[in-house]
Amino acid sequence: MKITKAEVIVTSPDRNFVTLKLTTDGGLTGLGDATLNGRELAVVSYLKDHVAPLLLGKDAHKIEDTWQFLYRSAYWRRGPVTMAAIAAVDVALWDIKAKAANMPLYQLLGGACRTGCLAYGHASGKDLPELFDSVRKHLELGYRAIRIQTGVPGLKAIYGVASNVVAAGNVGKRYDHEPAQRAPLPAEEDWDTRAYLRHIPGVFEAVRAEFGPELPLLHDGHHRMTPIQAAKLGKSLEPYDMFWLEDCTPAENQEALRLVRRHTITPLAIGEIFNTVWDYQTLIREQLIDYVRSAVTHTGGISPMKKIMDYAAQYQIKSGIHGPTDISPVGMAAATHLGLAIHNFGIQEYMQHGAATNHVFEQSFTFSGGLLHPGDKPGLGVELNMDEAGKYPYQTAYLPFNRLADGTVHDW
Ligand code: KDG
Ligand code: MG
């Protein structure tokens, strides 16, 4: 089974997506997500100019060999652009292999370990009434675990807080938290860690008082705290029984989590900007985290994500695979197949794509009773409608960035 065609498709329904489509001599096709928010075209070039020519004529069945070839033969290793490109190839080859076997992909990964993957949604509001309204809407949609982000008094714009309400694909309405804006320059947001640390514990106290002790609650610190500030937040959130505190410190410094861990029993999740198992080496071995947050799309695909999760399993660390709207339906399907099959599944982020995206990507997944299931079509269960995709050309879009009150650029 030889690869005869490698196409890179850029489409922008609701937001930009980069998709690799591989075709074999027998006519089977496979899709891989290569979307890197705000740097999409760098991955397009990497795939078109440096990867696609190497794939033609290769045996589509050789997933591991192709992965190792792309990773090692480049000489320059790791990094989000490289690993998103390799991920797209890996996932497209798994899609083809599962179609050739006439099975849904999760069967090739060992079969289902559960009936569905518990998903969490993003509730947010600039103040408590708006936040409560958002939590209620998510409960109505069937979510059984909810991430909480709010505005902070004195700050104008803040990560994770919805700005508007838009129509969504198949489950009604949602708040739109897509932070990348279609504009020639990145938007500037403001930040004040002390104001944030003063405000957040009261928010969780109010949410628990309103919604009770059962609902799993999550929160994303989005890389903004120093280790001691993160330790303070983790400790102050302990009474509210968090499911996790995510990205409490910038992701580059694995050692920072030692200090945080020493001071708090709030569970920690990290990894959405990691791209290899090496980023987790210290964190997993020293049990400094509780959840692996990598995206299949940004970590080289299903093959390395399975290896990371098998390593994590030895330390009772679970998955919390990244699933915001900048992971395409192809990347989400890959995550859901993997989540269904691994024993140490924890939770799956599921933000929901817009209606236009769901027309471009025809999907077989279901979301019911708070659980995601990838469906039972052979392969990933996602097909790209090329005519629809062609209607939405790329649009320049960037993630925002932060400045402190004195003008200093801060982590966003
Ligand atoms: O592209 C950046 C987003 O994916 C990121 O800001 C989303 O932090 C995020 C999350 O937890 O979903
Ligand atoms: Mg995050």
Side-chain angles (χ1 to χ4, degrees), residues 97-157:
K97 194 185 277 294
K99 284 179 180 169
N102 201 26
M103 285 181 183
L105 175 54
Y106 69 83
Q107 295 292 11
L108 302 193
L109 300 173
C113 270
R114 54 195 54 79
T115 53
C117 299
L118 178 70
Y120 74 89
H122 288 198
S124 77
K126 61 179 182 323
D127 50 28
L128 285 180
E130 210 176 278
L131 174 66
F132 287 0
D133 185 36
S134 175
V135 173
R136 281 189 203 101
K137 284 200 165 71
H138 280 81
L139 293 173
E140 279 163 24
L141 290 174
Y143 282 103
R144 286 170 20 198
I146 297 187
R147 189 183 89 159
I148 300 288
Q149 306 291 134
T150 59
V152 171
L155 296 182
K156 291 188 287 296

Side-chain angles (χ1 to χ4, degrees), residues 15 37 120 122 147 159 179 220 222-223 246-247 272 293 322-324 326 349 351 399 412:
R15 65 164 346 280
N37 205 356
Y120 74 89
H122 288 198
R147 189 183 89 159
Y159 166 76
D220 192 345
H222 226 254
H223 324 277
E246 174 188 347
D247 284 340
E272 70 181 39
R293 279 288 286 145
H322 197 214
D326 49 290
E349 183 180 23
M351 252 178 96
L399 285 165
W412 180 78

Side-chain angles (χ1 to χ4, degrees), residues 96-271:
I96 288 172
K97 194 185 277 294
K99 284 179 180 169
N102 201 26
M103 285 181 183
L105 175 54
Y106 69 83
Q107 295 292 11
L108 302 193
L109 300 173
C113 270
R114 54 195 54 79
T115 53
C117 299
L118 178 70
Y120 74 89
H122 288 198
S124 77
K126 61 179 182 323
D127 50 28
L128 285 180
E130 210 176 278
L131 174 66
F132 287 0
D133 185 36
S134 175
V135 173
R136 281 189 203 101
K137 284 200 165 71
H138 280 81
L139 293 173
E140 279 163 24
L141 290 174
Y143 282 103
R144 286 170 20 198
I146 297 187
R147 189 183 89 159
I148 300 288
Q149 306 291 134
T150 59
V152 171
L155 296 182
K156 291 188 287 296
I158 185 166
Y159 166 76
V161 178
S163 51
N164 55 0
V165 183
V166 296
N170 46 3
V171 281
K173 294 219 159 217
R174 70 174 172 130
Y175 280 80
D176 177 13
H177 312 264
E178 171 56 60
Q181 290 169 30
R182 289 169 163 169
L185 292 172
E188 185 177 319
E189 297 186 349
D190 51 349
W191 184 248
D192 177 343
T193 307
R194 291 191 69 232
Y196 165 79
L197 290 176
R198 280 195 305 275
H199 185 63
I200 291 297
V203 169
F204 278 90
E205 185 182 12
V207 170
R208 277 286 176 232
E210 182 73 12
F211 295 98
E214 296 277 337
L215 183 65
L217 297 177
L218 303 83
H219 180 67
D220 192 345
H222 226 254
H223 324 277
R224 289 158 192 213
M225 287 166 274
T226 63
I228 202 69
Q229 289 169 337
K232 183 176 177 179
L233 180 63
K235 203 168 179 174
S236 64
L237 292 178
E238 281 171 15
Y240 313 115
D241 187 25
M242 301 293 289
F243 186 93
W244 78 34
L245 171 61
E246 174 188 347
D247 284 340
C248 59
T249 50
E252 293 93 331
N253 183 9
Q254 298 192 16
E255 279 76 17
L257 275 296
R258 281 201 198 109
L259 191 144
V260 182
R261 201 60 149 177
R262 206 175 298 144
H263 292 284
T264 180
I265 55 165
T266 290
L268 302 176
I270 204 162

